[in-house]
Amino acid sequence: MLGRFVVSLARLDEFDAALVSLPAAPQADWQLSILAGQNPTADAATIAAYHARQTRARIVSIETKAGTTADIARLAAAFPPNLETWFELPPASPDLPLLLEAVRATGRGAKIRTGGVTAAAFPEPAEIARFLRECHRHGVTMKATAGLHHPLRGEYRLTYDAGSPRARMFGFLNVLLAAALIHSG
């Protein structure tokens, strides 16, 4: 749906091994969105080395966690400006407006994680609404990830395991509609 394959930087070699077994596509290369590791300088070097050796896939974006304005500045400096960078911010942080100002100053985007494989990974609806409002107010491009595998809000299994616990998940249409309503005033 997004045209990008999301893979952890730690599993990039595993992706390459699987890519070798696939026939070459006549269209464009695979576009990858990378989940960053712990060391942004090493991550940037890994990405550069990957582009030097891999011809069938391109890393076009990176997603990384940032909890402070200093994190944002440090991470933005580590990654090249032509690499789309998304800062995953803590939506409940009282410093969210300051964090978004720092993101805006870098020209990069903000990310909110809207779920995971445990019920505790899902933020409160008010936190998502606040994140959307603050991104709009600060003029920051944003994206929402995880917990949006279904179009409408509802209770769903947290994993694909048959006996998986269930939790109330946000639907991607619900989040899209909320963002559109905020944007329209």
Side-chain angles (χ1 to χ4, degrees):
M1 183 163 87
L2 303 176
R4 296 188 179 155
F5 187 79
V6 180
V7 64
S8 167
L9 192 63
R11 297 184 73 182
L12 198 53
D13 289 339
E14 186 180 336
F15 169 80
D16 276 352
L19 185 60
V20 170
S21 68
L22 297 175
Q27 66 274 13
D29 299 335
W30 284 73
Q31 291 189 16
L32 304 179
S33 184
I34 296 297
L35 304 176
Q38 298 297 313
N39 182 334
T41 304
D43 293 350
T46 299
I47 291 167
Y50 186 80
H51 285 161
R53 77 171 186 271
Q54 177 56 262
T55 59
R56 293 184 57 198
R58 299 285 307 157
I59 297 169
V60 296
S61 71
I62 191 157
E63 302 176 21
T64 186
K65 292 182 180 184
T68 67
T69 56
D71 288 344
I72 292 166
R74 177 178 54 82
L75 293 162
F79 300 123
N82 65 336
L83 182 64
E84 193 177 290
T85 304
W86 298 94
F87 297 105
E88 182 179 325
L89 304 176
S93 172
D95 293 332
L96 184 61
L98 292 173
L99 296 173
L100 289 169
E101 273 303 309
V103 170
R104 189 181 62 71
T106 70
R108 313 292 175 96
K111 170 184 163 180
I112 183 171
R113 177 167 297 279
T114 62
V117 296
T118 66
F122 291 79
E124 293 296 320
E127 292 171 346
I128 294 176
R130 176 178 176 243
F131 184 85
L132 295 173
R133 279 193 314 273
E134 289 295 328
C135 284
H136 178 72
R137 189 166 74 84
H138 291 277
V140 173
T141 301
M142 58 77 53
K143 70 187 263 181
T145 65
L148 298 173
H149 302 190
H150 306 281
L152 301 175
R153 183 169 171 83
E155 190 167 301
Y156 301 100
R157 292 186 316 195
L158 291 171
T159 70
Y160 294 108
D161 295 333
S164 173
R166 299 170 72 84
R168 196 145 188 69
M169 294 186 184
F170 303 98
F172 60 82
L173 291 177
N174 297 54
V175 174
L176 174 65
L177 181 59
L181 289 171
I182 288 167
H183 182 71
S184 71

